[in-house]
Amino acid sequence: MADKNREKGGCFRAGCLTAVVAVLLLAGLGWFAQQWGNRLPGRFVLRVPVSGAIDERSPDAASLPLGGARQPLSLEELLTILDRARADKRVDSVLLEIDGLGAPAAKAQELERSIAELRKSGKKVTALLDTPEDKDYRLAAACDSVIVRKGSWMMLDGLKAEMFFFSDPLKKLGVSFQAAQWKKYKSAVESFTRSSPSPENLEETNALLDDAWADYLDSVSRHRHIDPAEFRNVVDSLAVLTPEKALALRLVDRVATERQLEKEYEERLGKPAGELFVGGREYLGATGGMRPKSSGDRIAVVAITGMIVSDGAGGVGEAEVTDVSTVKQALQTALDDPKVKAIVLRIDSPGGDALAASTMLELLQEARLQKPIVASMSGVAASGGYMVALAGSKIFAEPLTITGSIGVFSLKPDLGGLLEKTGIRREVLTRGRFADAYTPFKAFDDASFRKFVETAGTIYDDFIAKVAKGRKMTPAEVDAVAGGRVWSGKRALEVGLIDRIGGLADAVQEAQKLAKMDAKAKPELLYLPARKTWLEYLLAGDASELASALTAGVLRQSLGELEPLTRLPGTKTARFLLRTEEPQVLALDPVEVTIK
């Protein structure tokens, strides 16, 4: 029998048995290592690094060996860590190491709210800064005390929004673009069609910058108990200052080296530093990770992050995207689980493919017939990202969440000039009036361009109708606040595009209420789509899937070094243009605004 199985190539082969045993052994060792490492001291200081852009979710690769430790904590993880620390008696205090923060202001606002709740629980929160800039300092000011490392400096020089325009240099290469821009505030096309911003582009960018600036001044002055005009004078007159100068101006509480701070903790708690501090990721793993800890009723948090794309449109190592099949699977998991009583749709997306966003909305509306859905908008929920939020019975956003951008555009490249410059000849045989109209190697003629624009207009009208139905407004009322206009969350509330100002915790409470769950019990959260751990990959025994995940993790890590380039305005739109030969109608935010 054994010989017959060997002939058939089954798992009685020595190589196959060895592989199975190796996988089980590694899994067992990994489990024991994880359990051993998850033991926490009876009393410790929770040391949480906060840095970078703060992605809404960590990629799958963050949980893989040799990859997770270097991956910055996501907003999802940071909020979970701070929430668990509130009721954890082992946590003496929290030390936030804030460095190089590049997150949107809306995410900083949500973290500030979480810090405030932690302080209310009696836990002291200290911010440790190393050469901080405005975004670092803004978050640090929400803590009980602010310490700046001795020997560093502070660069508090204000906020700015940069816009880049590629039309003129591209023309020199023989490349130009034709755009169906519906309507004038839908300014994402301008990076490719203009050499300077339109009045509408400047209007909405200035409005966002005004809101962010006012909020920054108010937040710091309120937390630090100083006059807003006094703080603004520091920014306008000093900009760069030493920690000692900042101490004299009451902007910080202490100037110290890291070792001095560690010694103070050691003296107070009577332990050496090696036994005193627990890192944020270590604490998260020791307290159950991102999975529900009990078997009771729960609320599913379904994330739509990054660009919205059609199935299979994302690539390995590419920036975060969400496709239709991923949302469909996540919703099915939530609907099939009898313990899930409601769904919170968590959105951090500038939009993307208009048809994909429309399909996601349809799936969500069907799911809402079975279980309540509440939408929670994070850093950005614009265009297609806002469209999917319409599935929520209530929509929550932070005051500075980039919201709205109700509109569409389509952009078609014309590479005819490039072919001419390089001497490439193109011969085309057609049957049908418009067979070659959408090629990227020539411009539209008048009739083709009219059809191009009509398509964008049809999709815009459909978008308006969806918003009117979802927000109980007339199409005319929606059009008055649409046309591609982008709003801060605060202004979006005023014009009726959202229902409440609040973060994920507020949306969870509303979902709990709609599902008629016990108001006194804190519901467990089931985050979807679920992230696989490296141990789960091993136990599944799918070597190809594990290899793909590892490859994606390595690529993301490598591409992270090119982050400044990939964050140039226009790059998101350019990635879409390069996906297919045909022009695409995009429900994408009007301008890639980065306020820093």
Side-chain angles (χ1 to χ4, degrees):
M1 177 67 76
D3 290 339
K4 185 176 285 188
N5 278 316
R6 287 191 189 97
E7 290 173 7
K8 291 181 179 179
C11 262
F12 281 85
R13 290 183 304 173
C16 184
L17 284 172
T18 301
V20 170
V21 171
V23 166
L24 292 175
L25 182 60
L26 284 171
L29 290 173
W31 184 84
F32 281 115
Q34 187 177 41
Q35 295 304 308
W36 179 265
N38 281 350
R39 296 190 309 169
L40 293 174
R43 191 82 169 161
F44 61 88
V45 176
L46 182 56
R47 194 169 191 166
V48 184
V50 184
S51 64
I54 308 187
D55 293 334
E56 184 66 28
R57 312 192 76 203
S58 291
D60 261 345
S63 64
L64 296 173
L66 307 178
R70 297 181 62 186
Q71 184 73 30
L73 290 165
S74 66
L75 183 61
E76 193 177 83
E77 292 168 329
L78 286 168
L79 294 175
T80 301
I81 289 168
L82 297 180
D83 180 65
R84 288 179 185 169
R86 286 166 53 193
D88 193 336
K89 295 180 180 180
R90 297 169 297 180
V91 177
D92 171 80
S93 55
V94 177
L95 178 64
L96 295 183
E97 296 183 314
I98 306 170
D99 184 26
L101 191 60
K107 292 185 177 181
Q109 287 179 318
E110 188 152 16
L111 282 172
E112 283 180 27
R113 190 179 293 110
S114 187
I115 290 169
E117 291 298 319
L118 186 57
R119 293 174 64 184
K120 282 182 186 177
S121 72
K123 300 284 172 38
K124 184 175 180 180
V125 185
T126 300
L128 177 61
L129 300 174
D130 185 1
T131 316
E133 297 186 13
D134 293 276
K135 285 192 173 183
D136 301 304
Y137 181 64
R138 179 246 167 82
L139 182 61
C143 300
D144 288 288
S145 61
V146 181
I147 301 175
V148 182
R149 294 187 197 233
K150 188 175 181 61
S152 66
W153 67 88
M154 300 180 69
M155 185 175 289
L156 307 182
D157 56 353
L159 308 180
K160 69 176 180 180
E162 286 183 312
M163 292 174 275
F164 291 84
F165 298 87
F166 313 116
S167 176
D168 289 346
L170 287 174
K171 285 178 181 176
K172 294 178 182 178
L173 299 174
V175 178
S176 61
F177 289 86
Q178 290 177 291
Q181 181 180 358
W182 210 278
K183 297 181 180 180
K184 60 184 179 181
Y185 282 91
K186 201 69 182 176
S187 50
V189 298
E190 292 185 6
S191 290
F192 301 96
T193 60
R194 295 176 60 97
S195 57
S196 61
S198 66
E200 293 79 15
N201 191 342
L202 286 173
E203 176 191 330
E204 60 189 3
T205 304
N206 271 310
L208 289 173
L209 193 56
D210 285 342
D211 284 350
W213 177 235
D215 181 79
Y216 176 39
L217 296 177
D218 173 72
S219 179
V220 170
S221 60
R222 181 165 35 87
H223 289 303
R224 297 301 303 175
H225 306 292
I226 58 178
D227 186 81
E230 182 182 342
F231 178 61
R232 179 168 185 168
N233 184 59
V234 170
V235 175
D236 288 341
S237 61
L238 295 178
V240 180
L241 59 163
T242 64
E244 290 74 17
K245 180 66 175 177
L247 182 62
L249 293 170
R250 295 178 291 118
L251 297 179
V252 303
D253 299 289
R254 296 253 333 262
V255 179
T257 65
E258 182 177 1
R259 184 56 191 145
Q260 285 175 332
L261 186 61
E262 287 178 346
K263 284 183 177 179
E264 291 175 8
Y265 278 115
E266 287 174 342
E267 291 174 3
R268 184 166 65 83
L269 297 178
K271 290 183 179 180
E275 302 174 12
L276 181 61
F277 293 100
V278 172
R281 193 169 294 284
E282 179 186 353
Y283 178 73
L284 185 65
T287 54
M290 298 300 296
R291 306 291 176 91
K293 294 183 292 182
S294 69
S295 58
D297 290 345
R298 59 191 59 160
I299 290 175
V301 179
V302 176
I304 295 180
T305 58
M307 300 290 268
I308 292 174
V309 300
S310 57
D311 290 343
V316 174
E318 192 172 317
E320 183 76 12
V321 299
T322 301
D323 63 15
V324 174
S325 62
T326 298
V327 173
K328 186 175 183 178
Q329 290 169 9
L331 287 175
Q332 200 59 56
T333 299
L335 295 175
D336 289 345
D337 189 341
K339 297 173 186 174
V340 171
K341 302 303 180 183
I343 297 169
V344 171
L345 183 63
R346 180 67 170 177
I347 305 164
D348 187 30
S349 170
D353 185 288
L355 179 58
S358 180
T359 304
M360 287 181 187
L361 176 60
E362 185 179 5
L363 291 170
L364 288 159
Q365 288 172 332
E366 289 178 3
R368 183 174 153 184
L369 297 175
Q370 300 181 53
K371 295 183 180 182
I373 295 181
V374 175
S376 171
M377 309 199 305
S378 183
V380 56
S383 209
Y386 178 74
M387 184 189 291
V388 296
L390 296 170
S393 299
K394 289 285 189 296
I395 301 177
F396 288 75
E398 294 293 340
L400 293 179
T401 298
I402 295 178
T403 307
S405 182
I406 300 165
V408 298
F409 70 87
S410 190
L411 203 60
K412 175 184 176 292
D414 174 15
L415 307 179
L418 180 61
L419 295 188
E420 185 177 344
K421 284 178 179 292
T422 56
I424 298 174
R425 292 187 67 255
R426 178 174 177 263
E427 287 288 341
V428 182
L429 304 177
T430 64
R431 299 293 186 274
R433 171 70 175 82
F434 299 103
D436 194 40
Y438 287 90
T439 177
F441 300 111
K442 71 172 187 177
F444 281 128
D445 59 26
D446 290 344
S448 299
F449 187 69
R450 282 195 298 272
K451 288 188 174 293
F452 183 58
V453 174
E454 285 170 6
T455 301
T458 300
I459 294 176
Y460 175 75
D461 291 341
D462 180 65
F463 198 167
I464 289 289
K466 284 180 168 65
V467 178
K469 182 179 179 181
R471 300 303 300 165
K472 297 179 174 57
M473 301 165 69
T474 66
E477 288 173 332
V478 176
D479 190 51
V481 297
R485 288 177 179 84
V486 66
W487 309 88
S488 64
K490 179 181 70 173
R491 296 177 191 259
L493 179 63
E494 295 169 359
V495 300
L497 294 181
I498 68 167
D499 297 291
R500 296 266 300 277
I501 294 294
L504 178 60
D506 301 290
V508 167
Q509 285 184 355
E510 179 66 22
Q512 188 175 4
K513 176 182 174 183
L514 291 174
K516 297 181 172 56
M517 299 171 68
D518 183 359
K520 295 180 181 179
K522 187 174 181 178
E524 291 279 350
L525 300 182
L526 173 64
Y527 289 95
L528 299 171
R531 300 302 205 196
K532 279 189 177 180
T533 66
W534 65 271
L535 188 58
E536 287 171 326
Y537 277 114
L538 284 175
L539 289 173
D542 190 337
S544 62
E545 189 177 356
L546 177 57
S548 295
L550 285 169
T551 301
V554 171
L555 282 173
R556 285 193 186 98
Q557 190 71 41
S558 301
L559 291 174
E561 303 299 324
L562 302 176
E563 183 180 14
L565 180 61
T566 61
R567 289 187 179 274
L568 279 175
T571 53
K572 289 186 290 190
T573 306
R575 286 199 296 270
F576 266 83
L577 292 172
L578 294 172
R579 289 180 188 276
T580 65
E581 181 180 332
E582 300 297 324
Q584 300 178 66
V585 180
L586 305 180
L588 189 63
D589 63 333
V591 58
E592 296 178 39
V593 180
T594 300
I595 296 175
K596 56 185 179 180

